[in-house]
Amino acid sequence: MKFETTEAVEAMRAEVCALHAELLRWGLVTWTSGNVSGRVPGTDYIVIKPSGISYDDLTPELMVVTDLEGNVLDGDLKPSSDAESHNHVYQLMPEVGGVVHTHSPYATAWAARAEPIPCVLTAMADEFGGEIPLGPFALIGSDAIGRGIVDTLKGHRSPAVIMQNHGVFTIGKNPKAAVKAAVMTEDVARTVHISRQLGEPVPIAQENIDKLYDRYQNVYGQ
Ligand SMILES: [Zn+2]
């Protein structure tokens, strides 16, 4: 059956394309590394960055539309080499509408040490509800990365996981939320790293983490 695009698919193409500029703006990516994807709401269509295209050259039309198995439905280019990991998350976490992957430097430095980022900032309690967890070492080219992401994030408050020796994957209810989580991950990774240089950061008591998380998720904002 031939794929017929819709307004929703084209809107997601534009949104996913525009969000890649945020990865550059916040210093999360180098060269062509990093990628954003989004699920077209109410469908099994995934829109993702094409593989190996410079950020400056990305346009909505170049975004690739696939199904949950990664079959290309629409687009002239190959999807990102991380598409399989994104798809694995969409398959097993139906509540997820956006996935982001970066090798942002401070967070990836934690990944290189195989160390979760401890919850020592109120902003971390707000956004992540605790530590940013560490996922397993996994080679690209199988579903091992996707399984590691899902196994780590399922049942965890954090929308971000640091994959050992690799980098950051974040999830959100839409691609923008996943990008925000990637930006905040790098921000707290940097601050906690700096704090570490001068001594041992002080943990926040679990009951206070719970209070901060609840307030931020349910009360804060407009
Ligand atoms: Zn990567």
Side-chain angles (χ1 to χ4, degrees):
M1 203 175 74
K2 194 181 173 316
F3 176 79
E4 297 273 358
T5 193
T6 64
E7 259 179 49
V9 169
E10 295 310 307
M12 185 57 75
R13 270 199 161 110
E15 183 182 350
V16 167
C17 180
L19 284 167
H20 281 92
E22 296 293 311
L23 302 187
L24 276 184
R25 185 155 81 96
W26 295 98
L28 306 187
V29 293
T30 303
W31 200 239
T32 63
S33 81
N35 37 71
V36 180
S37 69
R39 185 201 295 257
V40 179
T43 74
D44 285 344
Y45 300 149
I46 305 301
V47 175
I48 190 164
K49 176 171 168 269
S51 181
I53 303 290
S54 163
Y55 277 86
D56 286 345
D57 296 333
L58 293 179
T59 62
E61 300 71 42
L62 291 183
M63 298 298 122
V64 183
V65 184
T66 75
D67 62 18
L68 288 186
E69 278 72 49
N71 302 303
V72 175
L73 302 175
D74 200 22
D76 298 326
L77 298 168
K78 276 198 305 186
S80 160
S81 54
D82 295 302
E84 190 174 2
S85 307
H86 290 240
N87 287 331
H88 197 82
V89 174
Y90 290 118
Q91 284 170 23
L92 295 181
M93 302 179 87
E95 70 279 16
V96 170
V99 177
V100 171
H101 173 49
T102 79
H103 303 157
S104 65
Y106 281 92
T108 302
W110 289 84
R113 288 199 310 273
E115 194 176 353
I117 306 176
C119 187
V120 293
L121 303 167
T122 58
M124 285 190 73
D126 290 346
E127 293 283 347
F128 302 94
E131 68 168 19
I132 300 179
L134 177 76
F137 177 82
L139 290 175
I140 194 163
S142 71
D143 64 359
I145 294 176
R147 275 190 284 120
I149 298 165
V150 171
D151 288 349
T152 308
L153 291 185
K154 262 215 182 248
H156 205 292
R157 286 171 176 169
S158 172
V161 52
I162 292 172
M163 295 296 284
Q164 182 178 327
N165 303 110
H166 183 174
V168 177
F169 281 86
T170 62
I171 58 174
K173 64 182 192 302
N174 53 43
K176 187 178 180 186
V179 169
K180 181 189 176 195
V183 172
M184 299 309 290
T185 296
E186 181 64 2
D187 184 56
V188 301
R190 180 172 50 222
T191 306
V192 179
H193 172 81
I194 292 167
S195 165
R196 267 275 184 88
Q197 308 312 298
L198 301 169
E200 199 51 41
V202 176
I204 300 174
Q206 186 62 48
E207 65 168 305
N208 289 329
I209 292 175
D210 293 345
K211 281 183 192 150
L212 286 161
Y213 183 70
D214 179 65
R215 176 191 144 278
Y216 188 75
Q217 300 295 322
N218 299 311
V219 183
Y220 179 77
Q222 297 298 315

